[in-house]
Amino acid sequence: MLNLERLRTLDALARHGSVSGAAEGLHVTTSAVSQQLAKLEREVGQQLLARNGRGVRLTDAGRLLADHAARILSQVEVAQSDIEAQRGRVVGEVRIAAFPTAARGLFPVALRALRASHPELRVSSRELEPEAGIRRVIRGDLDLAVVLDWSNKRLPVPGGLATAHLLDDAADVAMPVDHRLAERPEVDLEEFADDEWVSWPEGEFCHDWLMFTLRSKGFEPRIGHLAGEHHTQLALIAAGLGVCVAPRLGRGPVPEGVAVVPVRQKMRRHIYAVWRTDADRRPSIRAAVEALGGAALTVNG
């Protein structure tokens, strides 16, 4: 009989593409992964892995068994969800992630509410950008992720995931207090065509959105500085080094020397939770989504 934990190890290797990646995803050592896979090969009586340079690759038999393992583990997830749903108690563990401003703006309220309402539930959280959060939910490394897209640029959500809208978050333009537009009640993005911009790091969804949005206004933005944290971006603005988009969720007090002005054509981030549909009936998932929704209501006032 095939061992479920060894199938889980094979599935992790197939998803992550390496022994070290599988070990990280399973929170075990690389030695433990290698031992489990060696035992699985002895159980099935076939070679599942082959050397590939410094790493390994799945053999034909390995790919075949990995496909079966993914389906088996998905069915196990469904069974666990059904058992939890029948029991009706919010227990066990739920692993969640959010992009930084959502983690700062939503997690303190949501996780405190979860702890108060469901003391038997263990919650672990971390910060992850939206694309990474979705990938880890799909791989099973996370149970739930808070992600975002923008009103004019959607984030692709693969099949097999359920979603719940949490809130819409408005964004403004932040600029030095002595900027020529700092006293205006509203601004248009086109008015910043000659300004230097502070953006998110290249390759991130929000950086791609900013480039797409500013180019759609008829100009090529001059990106002078890249920073992943909004607080760092605002510190650069306070130093007079450019302008940036400043979403309101998790923003906190604006540093001295920074003016924040709304945009006439509203920029909004759609913020929502995603989780695997095969875990949809788990009370712990439902409780986490409900807590995040309650925190979102608090933020929106």
Side-chain angles (χ1 to χ4, degrees):
M1 182 176 294
L2 294 173
N3 180 280
L4 187 62
E5 286 309 309
R6 290 167 197 153
L7 289 179
R8 197 181 304 279
T9 302
L10 180 66
D11 176 67
L13 179 71
R15 289 185 285 104
H16 292 275
S18 69
V19 171
S20 59
E24 181 182 357
L26 295 170
H27 306 290
V28 298
T29 65
T30 55
S31 175
V33 169
S34 297
Q35 290 174 19
Q36 288 283 64
L37 293 173
K39 290 178 181 178
L40 184 60
E41 285 187 324
R42 290 196 294 271
E43 284 179 350
V44 299
Q46 293 195 59
Q47 183 179 359
L48 302 177
L49 304 176
R51 285 288 176 188
N52 184 28
R54 294 185 178 180
V56 296
R57 63 173 176 80
L58 293 172
T59 64
D60 290 344
R63 284 194 296 271
L64 177 64
L65 187 55
D67 289 342
H68 283 292
R71 290 192 291 272
I72 291 167
L73 293 170
S74 177
Q75 192 59 44
V76 169
E77 182 80 54
V78 172
Q80 290 175 333
S81 297
D82 287 346
I83 290 296
E84 281 192 33
Q86 185 181 54
R87 184 170 50 192
R89 292 171 57 207
V90 180
V91 297
E93 180 182 16
V94 63
R95 303 158 299 169
I96 66 177
F99 58 95
T101 52
R104 185 163 59 245
L106 299 178
F107 277 4
V109 173
L111 302 191
R112 181 175 59 195
L114 273 176
R115 175 174 291 182
S117 300
H118 308 290
E120 296 180 85
L121 179 66
R122 299 187 308 277
V123 182
S124 60
S125 69
R126 63 182 301 175
E127 289 185 355
L128 278 177
E129 291 300 321
E131 303 97 321
I134 285 179
R135 286 196 301 269
R136 294 201 177 207
V137 169
I138 291 171
R139 292 198 310 237
D141 300 336
L142 286 173
D143 299 303
L144 183 148
V146 179
V147 301
L148 69 92
D149 56 28
W150 293 83
S151 52
N152 64 333
K153 188 174 178 65
R154 307 311 295 264
L155 178 70
V157 176
L161 295 182
T163 65
H165 178 263
L166 299 175
L167 75 154
D168 287 340
D169 180 40
D172 308 306
V173 176
M175 65 199 79
V177 291
D178 58 358
H179 192 279
R180 68 188 187 282
L181 303 175
E183 300 297 326
R184 292 268 296 275
E186 288 184 323
V187 292
D188 291 309
L189 291 176
E190 297 93 319
E191 298 179 275
F192 298 93
D194 295 327
D195 285 275
E196 196 168 37
W197 284 82
V198 177
S199 177
W200 295 269
E202 292 178 355
E204 288 190 5
F205 179 74
C206 286
H207 175 83
D208 294 342
W209 164 82
L210 181 66
M211 300 298 289
F212 168 81
T213 299
L214 297 182
R215 285 167 178 164
S216 73
K217 299 300 180 180
F219 67 93
E220 182 65 24
R222 291 190 298 118
I223 306 297
H225 306 279
L226 301 173
E229 267 289 333
H230 287 169
H231 287 176
T232 304
Q233 293 182 4
L234 292 176
L236 293 170
I237 303 307
L241 298 175
V243 301
C244 74
V245 170
R248 296 176 186 175
L249 177 65
R251 186 161 70 195
V254 174
E256 185 177 349
V258 175
V260 177
V261 182
V263 180
R264 183 172 290 108
Q265 293 182 329
K266 303 300 182 187
M267 299 184 295
R268 295 191 179 276
R269 303 189 299 177
H270 306 304
I271 298 170
Y272 50 100
V274 300
W275 63 95
R276 297 184 304 281
T277 54
D278 55 18
D280 194 55
R281 296 185 63 194
R282 286 176 56 190
S284 56
I285 296 289
R286 291 294 172 185
V289 172
E290 182 179 349
L292 288 165
L297 290 175
T298 301
V299 168
N300 278 346

Short mmCIF file of all heavy atoms in Angstrom, two decimals, residues 127-179:
data_model
loop_
_atom_site.label_atom_id
_atom_site.label_comp_id
_atom_site.label_asym_id
_atom_site.label_seq_id
_atom_site.Cartn_x
_atom_site.Cartn_y
_atom_site.Cartn_z
N GLU A 127 3.85 37.54 5.02
CA GLU A 127 3.68 38.47 3.92
C GLU A 127 4.16 37.81 2.62
O GLU A 127 5.22 37.20 2.58
CB GLU A 127 4.50 39.74 4.14
CG GLU A 127 3.96 40.65 5.23
CD GLU A 127 4.74 41.95 5.33
OE1 GLU A 127 5.75 42.10 4.59
OE2 GLU A 127 4.36 42.81 6.14
N LEU A 128 3.34 37.94 1.58
CA LEU A 128 3.72 37.46 0.25
C LEU A 128 3.03 38.33 -0.79
O LEU A 128 1.87 38.74 -0.61
CB LEU A 128 3.28 36.01 0.04
CG LEU A 128 4.16 34.88 0.59
CD1 LEU A 128 3.49 33.55 0.31
CD2 LEU A 128 5.55 34.91 -0.02
N GLU A 129 3.73 38.59 -1.89
CA GLU A 129 3.11 39.30 -2.99
C GLU A 129 2.00 38.44 -3.61
O GLU A 129 2.02 37.21 -3.48
CB GLU A 129 4.16 39.67 -4.04
CG GLU A 129 5.15 40.73 -3.58
CD GLU A 129 4.47 42.04 -3.22
OE1 GLU A 129 3.51 42.43 -3.91
OE2 GLU A 129 4.89 42.68 -2.23
N PRO A 130 1.02 39.07 -4.29
CA PRO A 130 -0.15 38.32 -4.76
C PRO A 130 0.16 37.09 -5.60
O PRO A 130 -0.41 36.02 -5.37
CB PRO A 130 -0.92 39.38 -5.57
CG PRO A 130 -0.55 40.67 -4.94
CD PRO A 130 0.89 40.52 -4.52
N GLU A 131 1.07 37.23 -6.58
CA GLU A 131 1.34 36.07 -7.44
C GLU A 131 1.94 34.93 -6.65
O GLU A 131 1.58 33.76 -6.85
CB GLU A 131 2.29 36.47 -8.57
CG GLU A 131 1.80 37.61 -9.44
CD GLU A 131 2.41 38.94 -9.02
OE1 GLU A 131 2.54 39.17 -7.79
OE2 GLU A 131 2.74 39.75 -9.90
N ALA A 132 2.85 35.24 -5.73
CA ALA A 132 3.46 34.19 -4.91
C ALA A 132 2.44 33.56 -3.98
O ALA A 132 2.44 32.34 -3.75
CB ALA A 132 4.62 34.77 -4.09
N GLY A 133 1.52 34.37 -3.45
CA GLY A 133 0.47 33.83 -2.59
C GLY A 133 -0.41 32.85 -3.32
O GLY A 133 -0.74 31.77 -2.80
N ILE A 134 -0.81 33.20 -4.54
CA ILE A 134 -1.65 32.30 -5.33
C ILE A 134 -0.92 31.00 -5.64
O ILE A 134 -1.49 29.91 -5.54
CB ILE A 134 -2.12 33.01 -6.62
CG1 ILE A 134 -3.22 34.02 -6.28
CG2 ILE A 134 -2.63 32.00 -7.65
CD1 ILE A 134 -3.73 34.80 -7.47
N ARG A 135 0.36 31.11 -6.03
CA ARG A 135 1.12 29.89 -6.34
C ARG A 135 1.17 28.97 -5.12
O ARG A 135 1.03 27.75 -5.26
CB ARG A 135 2.54 30.25 -6.78
CG ARG A 135 2.64 30.83 -8.18
CD ARG A 135 4.07 30.79 -8.69
NE ARG A 135 4.98 31.55 -7.83
CZ ARG A 135 5.26 32.83 -8.00
NH1 ARG A 135 4.70 33.51 -8.98
NH2 ARG A 135 6.13 33.44 -7.20
N ARG A 136 1.39 29.52 -3.96
CA ARG A 136 1.52 28.68 -2.76
C ARG A 136 0.19 28.10 -2.33
O ARG A 136 0.15 27.00 -1.77
CB ARG A 136 2.16 29.49 -1.63
CG ARG A 136 3.60 29.87 -1.96
CD ARG A 136 4.39 30.19 -0.73
NE ARG A 136 5.78 30.47 -1.09
CZ ARG A 136 6.81 30.29 -0.29
NH1 ARG A 136 6.61 29.83 0.94
NH2 ARG A 136 8.03 30.57 -0.67
N VAL A 137 -0.91 28.80 -2.57
CA VAL A 137 -2.22 28.21 -2.30
C VAL A 137 -2.46 27.03 -3.24
O VAL A 137 -2.91 25.96 -2.81
CB VAL A 137 -3.34 29.27 -2.45
CG1 VAL A 137 -4.72 28.60 -2.44
CG2 VAL A 137 -3.26 30.29 -1.31
N ILE A 138 -2.14 27.20 -4.51
CA ILE A 138 -2.33 26.12 -5.48
C ILE A 138 -1.48 24.91 -5.10
O ILE A 138 -1.94 23.76 -5.18
CB ILE A 138 -1.96 26.61 -6.90
CG1 ILE A 138 -2.99 27.63 -7.39
CG2 ILE A 138 -1.89 25.44 -7.88
CD1 ILE A 138 -2.60 28.31 -8.68
N ARG A 139 -0.24 25.14 -4.66
CA ARG A 139 0.66 24.05 -4.31
C ARG A 139 0.29 23.39 -2.99
O ARG A 139 0.78 22.32 -2.67
CB ARG A 139 2.10 24.57 -4.22
CG ARG A 139 2.69 24.99 -5.54
CD ARG A 139 4.20 25.09 -5.49
NE ARG A 139 4.70 25.86 -4.38
CZ ARG A 139 5.50 26.92 -4.49
NH1 ARG A 139 5.82 27.37 -5.69
NH2 ARG A 139 5.96 27.54 -3.43
N GLY A 140 -0.56 24.04 -2.21
CA GLY A 140 -0.93 23.49 -0.92
C GLY A 140 -0.04 23.93 0.22
O GLY A 140 -0.20 23.46 1.35
N ASP A 141 0.91 24.86 -0.04
CA ASP A 141 1.77 25.36 1.02
C ASP A 141 1.03 26.35 1.92
O ASP A 141 1.45 26.60 3.04
CB ASP A 141 3.00 26.05 0.42
CG ASP A 141 3.83 25.10 -0.43
OD1 ASP A 141 3.73 23.88 -0.21
OD2 ASP A 141 4.55 25.57 -1.32
N LEU A 142 -0.03 26.95 1.39
CA LEU A 142 -0.88 27.88 2.13
C LEU A 142 -2.33 27.44 2.01
O LEU A 142 -2.72 26.83 1.01
CB LEU A 142 -0.76 29.30 1.57
CG LEU A 142 0.50 30.10 1.85
CD1 LEU A 142 0.45 31.40 1.05
CD2 LEU A 142 0.63 30.41 3.34
N ASP A 143 -3.12 27.78 3.01
CA ASP A 143 -4.55 27.51 2.94
C ASP A 143 -5.32 28.67 2.33
O ASP A 143 -6.36 28.46 1.69
CB ASP A 143 -5.10 27.23 4.35
CG ASP A 143 -4.45 26.01 4.97
OD1 ASP A 143 -4.52 24.93 4.36
OD2 ASP A 143 -3.86 26.14 6.06
N LEU A 144 -4.84 29.88 2.52
CA LEU A 144 -5.58 31.06 2.08
C LEU A 144 -4.60 32.21 1.86
O LEU A 144 -3.62 32.35 2.59
CB LEU A 144 -6.62 31.45 3.15
CG LEU A 144 -7.56 32.61 2.88
CD1 LEU A 144 -8.90 32.34 3.57
CD2 LEU A 144 -7.00 33.92 3.42
N ALA A 145 -4.86 33.03 0.83
CA ALA A 145 -4.03 34.20 0.57
C ALA A 145 -4.93 35.40 0.29
O ALA A 145 -5.99 35.27 -0.33
CB ALA A 145 -3.10 33.97 -0.62
N VAL A 146 -4.50 36.55 0.76
CA VAL A 146 -5.16 37.82 0.44
C VAL A 146 -4.37 38.45 -0.70
O VAL A 146 -3.16 38.68 -0.57
CB VAL A 146 -5.21 38.76 1.66
CG1 VAL A 146 -5.87 40.08 1.27
CG2 VAL A 146 -5.97 38.10 2.81
N VAL A 147 -5.05 38.70 -1.82
CA VAL A 147 -4.38 39.19 -3.02
C VAL A 147 -5.13 40.43 -3.53
O VAL A 147 -6.16 40.84 -2.97
CB VAL A 147 -4.34 38.10 -4.11
CG1 VAL A 147 -3.60 36.87 -3.61
CG2 VAL A 147 -5.74 37.70 -4.56
N LEU A 148 -4.61 41.00 -4.60
CA LEU A 148 -5.23 42.22 -5.14
C LEU A 148 -5.14 42.24 -6.64
O LEU A 148 -4.29 41.59 -7.25
CB LEU A 148 -4.56 43.47 -4.57
CG LEU A 148 -3.12 43.76 -5.01
CD1 LEU A 148 -3.08 44.67 -6.24
CD2 LEU A 148 -2.31 44.42 -3.90
N ASP A 149 -6.03 43.01 -7.25
CA ASP A 149 -5.81 43.50 -8.60
C ASP A 149 -6.33 44.94 -8.66
O ASP A 149 -6.81 45.46 -7.65
CB ASP A 149 -6.42 42.60 -9.68
CG ASP A 149 -7.91 42.36 -9.50
OD1 ASP A 149 -8.60 43.22 -8.93
OD2 ASP A 149 -8.39 41.30 -9.93
N TRP A 150 -6.18 45.57 -9.80
CA TRP A 150 -6.59 46.96 -9.96
C TRP A 150 -7.80 47.05 -10.87
O TRP A 150 -8.05 46.15 -11.69
CB TRP A 150 -5.44 47.79 -10.53
CG TRP A 150 -4.27 47.93 -9.60
CD1 TRP A 150 -3.26 47.04 -9.40
CD2 TRP A 150 -4.01 49.03 -8.71
NE1 TRP A 150 -2.37 47.50 -8.46
CE2 TRP A 150 -2.80 48.72 -8.02
CE3 TRP A 150 -4.65 50.23 -8.44
CZ2 TRP A 150 -2.24 49.59 -7.09
CZ3 TRP A 150 -4.09 51.10 -7.50
CH2 TRP A 150 -2.90 50.77 -6.83
N SER A 151 -8.52 48.13 -10.76
CA SER A 151 -9.76 48.27 -11.54
C SER A 151 -9.50 48.22 -13.04
O SER A 151 -10.40 47.83 -13.80
CB SER A 151 -10.47 49.58 -11.16
OG SER A 151 -9.58 50.69 -11.27
N ASN A 152 -8.31 48.58 -13.48
CA ASN A 152 -8.00 48.56 -14.91
C ASN A 152 -7.01 47.47 -15.30
O ASN A 152 -6.55 47.41 -16.44
CB ASN A 152 -7.45 49.92 -15.35
CG ASN A 152 -6.13 50.27 -14.69
OD1 ASN A 152 -5.85 49.80 -13.59
ND2 ASN A 152 -5.33 51.09 -15.34
N LYS A 153 -6.65 46.59 -14.35
CA LYS A 153 -5.73 45.48 -14.67
C LYS A 153 -6.00 44.35 -13.70
O LYS A 153 -5.69 44.45 -12.51
CB LYS A 153 -4.27 45.93 -14.59
CG LYS A 153 -3.27 44.88 -15.09
CD LYS A 153 -1.87 45.44 -15.10
CE LYS A 153 -0.83 44.41 -15.56
NZ LYS A 153 -1.03 44.01 -16.97
N ARG A 154 -6.57 43.26 -14.19
CA ARG A 154 -6.95 42.16 -13.32
C ARG A 154 -5.80 41.18 -13.13
O ARG A 154 -4.97 41.00 -14.02
CB ARG A 154 -8.17 41.42 -13.90
CG ARG A 154 -9.37 42.31 -14.23
CD ARG A 154 -9.74 43.25 -13.09
NE ARG A 154 -10.19 42.57 -11.91
CZ ARG A 154 -11.48 42.36 -11.63
NH1 ARG A 154 -12.43 42.76 -12.45
NH2 ARG A 154 -11.81 41.74 -10.51
N LEU A 155 -5.78 40.56 -11.96
CA LEU A 155 -4.80 39.51 -11.67
C LEU A 155 -5.42 38.16 -12.06
O LEU A 155 -6.48 37.80 -11.55
CB LEU A 155 -4.46 39.51 -10.18
CG LEU A 155 -3.49 38.43 -9.70
CD1 LEU A 155 -2.09 38.72 -10.23
CD2 LEU A 155 -3.46 38.38 -8.17
N PRO A 156 -4.80 37.40 -12.97
CA PRO A 156 -5.37 36.11 -13.35
C PRO A 156 -5.46 35.16 -12.15
O PRO A 156 -4.49 34.99 -11.42
CB PRO A 156 -4.40 35.58 -14.40
CG PRO A 156 -3.63 36.78 -14.87
CD PRO A 156 -3.54 37.70 -13.69
N VAL A 157 -6.63 34.58 -11.96
CA VAL A 157 -6.83 33.60 -10.89
C VAL A 157 -7.08 32.25 -11.55
O VAL A 157 -8.09 32.07 -12.24
CB VAL A 157 -8.01 33.98 -9.98
CG1 VAL A 157 -8.24 32.90 -8.93
CG2 VAL A 157 -7.74 35.32 -9.30
N PRO A 158 -6.18 31.29 -11.38
CA PRO A 158 -6.34 29.98 -12.04
C PRO A 158 -7.58 29.25 -11.56
O PRO A 158 -8.15 29.55 -10.50
CB PRO A 158 -5.06 29.23 -11.62
CG PRO A 158 -4.11 30.29 -11.17
CD PRO A 158 -4.95 31.38 -10.59
N GLY A 159 -8.00 28.28 -12.36
CA GLY A 159 -9.11 27.43 -11.96
C GLY A 159 -8.76 26.62 -10.73
O GLY A 159 -7.59 26.41 -10.41
N GLY A 160 -9.78 26.18 -10.01
CA GLY A 160 -9.55 25.41 -8.80
C GLY A 160 -9.45 26.24 -7.55
O GLY A 160 -9.24 25.70 -6.46
N LEU A 161 -9.60 27.58 -7.70
CA LEU A 161 -9.54 28.46 -6.55
C LEU A 161 -10.88 29.16 -6.36
O LEU A 161 -11.53 29.57 -7.32
CB LEU A 161 -8.45 29.52 -6.73
CG LEU A 161 -7.00 29.03 -6.79
CD1 LEU A 161 -6.06 30.22 -6.93
CD2 LEU A 161 -6.65 28.21 -5.56
N ALA A 162 -11.29 29.29 -5.10
CA ALA A 162 -12.47 30.07 -4.74
C ALA A 162 -12.02 31.45 -4.28
O ALA A 162 -10.89 31.62 -3.80
CB ALA A 162 -13.24 29.37 -3.62
N THR A 163 -12.88 32.45 -4.42
CA THR A 163 -12.53 33.81 -4.05
C THR A 163 -13.64 34.45 -3.23
O THR A 163 -14.80 34.07 -3.35
CB THR A 163 -12.27 34.70 -5.28
OG1 THR A 163 -13.49 34.84 -6.02
CG2 THR A 163 -11.20 34.10 -6.18
N ALA A 164 -13.27 35.43 -2.40
CA ALA A 164 -14.23 36.23 -1.65
C ALA A 164 -13.73 37.67 -1.62
O ALA A 164 -12.61 37.93 -1.18
CB ALA A 164 -14.40 35.70 -0.23
N HIS A 165 -14.55 38.57 -2.12
CA HIS A 165 -14.18 40.00 -2.12
C HIS A 165 -14.16 40.53 -0.69
O HIS A 165 -15.07 40.25 0.10
CB HIS A 165 -15.17 40.79 -2.97
CG HIS A 165 -14.90 42.25 -3.00
ND1 HIS A 165 -15.56 43.14 -2.18
CD2 HIS A 165 -14.03 42.98 -3.73
CE1 HIS A 165 -15.12 44.36 -2.41
NE2 HIS A 165 -14.19 44.30 -3.35
N LEU A 166 -13.12 41.28 -0.35
CA LEU A 166 -13.01 41.85 0.99
C LEU A 166 -13.28 43.34 1.00
O LEU A 166 -14.07 43.83 1.81
CB LEU A 166 -11.62 41.57 1.56
CG LEU A 166 -11.24 40.09 1.73
CD1 LEU A 166 -9.79 39.94 2.19
CD2 LEU A 166 -12.19 39.40 2.72
N LEU A 167 -12.63 44.08 0.13
CA LEU A 167 -12.86 45.53 0.06
C LEU A 167 -12.24 46.11 -1.19
O LEU A 167 -11.40 45.46 -1.84
CB LEU A 167 -12.28 46.25 1.29
CG LEU A 167 -10.75 46.44 1.35
CD1 LEU A 167 -10.41 47.65 2.20
CD2 LEU A 167 -10.06 45.22 1.90
N ASP A 168 -12.66 47.33 -1.54
CA ASP A 168 -12.01 48.11 -2.58
C ASP A 168 -11.23 49.22 -1.89
O ASP A 168 -11.75 49.91 -1.01
CB ASP A 168 -13.05 48.72 -3.54
CG ASP A 168 -13.66 47.68 -4.45
OD1 ASP A 168 -13.05 46.61 -4.62
OD2 ASP A 168 -14.76 47.94 -4.99
N ASP A 169 -9.98 49.37 -2.29
CA ASP A 169 -9.06 50.29 -1.63
C ASP A 169 -8.67 51.39 -2.60
O ASP A 169 -8.08 51.12 -3.65
CB ASP A 169 -7.82 49.52 -1.16
CG ASP A 169 -6.80 50.41 -0.48
OD1 ASP A 169 -7.22 51.30 0.29
OD2 ASP A 169 -5.59 50.21 -0.70
N ALA A 170 -8.99 52.63 -2.26
CA ALA A 170 -8.64 53.77 -3.12
C ALA A 170 -7.16 54.08 -2.99
O ALA A 170 -6.53 53.81 -1.97
CB ALA A 170 -9.47 54.99 -2.74
N ALA A 171 -6.61 54.68 -4.04
CA ALA A 171 -5.20 55.08 -4.05
C ALA A 171 -5.10 56.54 -4.48
O ALA A 171 -5.87 57.02 -5.32
CB ALA A 171 -4.39 54.19 -4.98
N ASP A 172 -4.15 57.24 -3.91
CA ASP A 172 -3.90 58.64 -4.20
C ASP A 172 -2.50 58.79 -4.80
O ASP A 172 -1.77 57.81 -4.95
CB ASP A 172 -4.00 59.47 -2.91
CG ASP A 172 -5.29 59.20 -2.15
OD1 ASP A 172 -6.36 59.33 -2.77
OD2 ASP A 172 -5.22 58.85 -0.96
N VAL A 173 -2.14 60.02 -5.12
CA VAL A 173 -0.77 60.31 -5.53
C VAL A 173 -0.09 61.05 -4.38
O VAL A 173 -0.63 62.04 -3.86
CB VAL A 173 -0.72 61.16 -6.81
CG1 VAL A 173 0.73 61.54 -7.15
CG2 VAL A 173 -1.32 60.39 -7.98
N ALA A 174 1.07 60.57 -3.98
CA ALA A 174 1.86 61.22 -2.94
C ALA A 174 2.98 62.01 -3.60
O ALA A 174 3.61 61.55 -4.55
CB ALA A 174 2.45 60.18 -1.98
N MET A 175 3.22 63.21 -3.07
CA MET A 175 4.22 64.12 -3.65
C MET A 175 4.82 64.98 -2.53
O MET A 175 4.23 65.09 -1.45
CB MET A 175 3.58 65.00 -4.72
CG MET A 175 2.51 65.94 -4.18
SD MET A 175 1.40 66.57 -5.45
CE MET A 175 0.28 65.14 -5.65
N PRO A 176 5.96 65.59 -2.76
CA PRO A 176 6.51 66.49 -1.75
C PRO A 176 5.55 67.66 -1.50
O PRO A 176 4.82 68.09 -2.40
CB PRO A 176 7.83 66.97 -2.37
CG PRO A 176 8.18 65.91 -3.38
CD PRO A 176 6.87 65.41 -3.91
N VAL A 177 5.56 68.20 -0.30
CA VAL A 177 4.62 69.27 0.06
C VAL A 177 4.86 70.53 -0.77
O VAL A 177 3.95 71.36 -0.91
CB VAL A 177 4.70 69.61 1.55
CG1 VAL A 177 4.13 68.48 2.39
CG2 VAL A 177 6.12 69.94 1.98
N ASP A 178 6.06 70.71 -1.32
CA ASP A 178 6.31 71.89 -2.14
C ASP A 178 6.10 71.63 -3.63
O ASP A 178 6.46 72.45 -4.48
CB ASP A 178 7.73 72.42 -1.89
CG ASP A 178 8.82 71.38 -2.20
OD1 ASP A 178 8.47 70.24 -2.57
OD2 ASP A 178 10.02 71.72 -2.07
N HIS A 179 5.51 70.48 -3.96
CA HIS A 179 5.21 70.17 -5.36
C HIS A 179 4.17 71.15 -5.89
O HIS A 179 3.29 71.62 -5.15
CB HIS A 179 4.68 68.73 -5.46
CG HIS A 179 4.61 68.20 -6.86
ND1 HIS A 179 3.57 68.48 -7.71
CD2 HIS A 179 5.45 67.38 -7.55
CE1 HIS A 179 3.76 67.86 -8.87
NE2 HIS A 179 4.90 67.18 -8.80
#
